């Protein structure tokens, strides 16, 4: 929760959402672009379906707080 509510993460989530919004025409392409920028991979079908229920800022905030983004495998 410390990262999730951190002012820096909130600002970066807003910047990422703005960047993705400017580059994408459709919602699905925005979601895919966000996943590409954060994870270097496209979303799975389930991730794409789940992400459609979020606004872009919330999606970017969740991606920046995910284990896949924070920890290196």
């Amino acid at each position: 929760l410390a990262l999730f509510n951190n002012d820096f993460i909130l600002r970066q989530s807003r910047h990422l959402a703005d960047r993705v919004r400017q580059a994408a025409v459709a919602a699905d392409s925005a979601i895919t672009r966000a996943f590409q920028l954060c994870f270097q991979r496209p979303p799975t079908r389930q991730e794409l379906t789940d992400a459609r229920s979020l606004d872009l800022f919330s999606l970017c905030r969740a991606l920046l707080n995910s284990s896949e983004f924070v920890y290196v495998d």
Side-chain angles (χ1 to χ4, degrees), residues 20 24 26-37 41-44 47-54 56 59 63:
V20 168
D28 283 359
S29 62
I31 293 166
T32 300
R33 183 70 180 141
F35 270 81
Q36 288 285 355
L37 289 169
R41 67 168 179 82
T44 64
E47 288 170 335
L48 185 60
T49 300
D50 294 343
R52 287 180 184 133
S53 66
L54 300 172
L56 200 50
L59 172 64
L63 293 177

Side-chain angles (χ1 to χ4, degrees), residues 3-4 9 35 38-39 41 47 59-72:
L3 272 180
F4 196 71
I9 293 296
F35 270 81
C38 290
F39 302 152
R41 67 168 179 82
E47 288 170 335
L59 172 64
C60 291
R61 187 177 178 193
L63 293 177
L64 292 178
N65 281 277
S66 69
S67 292
E68 189 171 349
F69 183 81
V70 175
Y71 298 104
V72 177

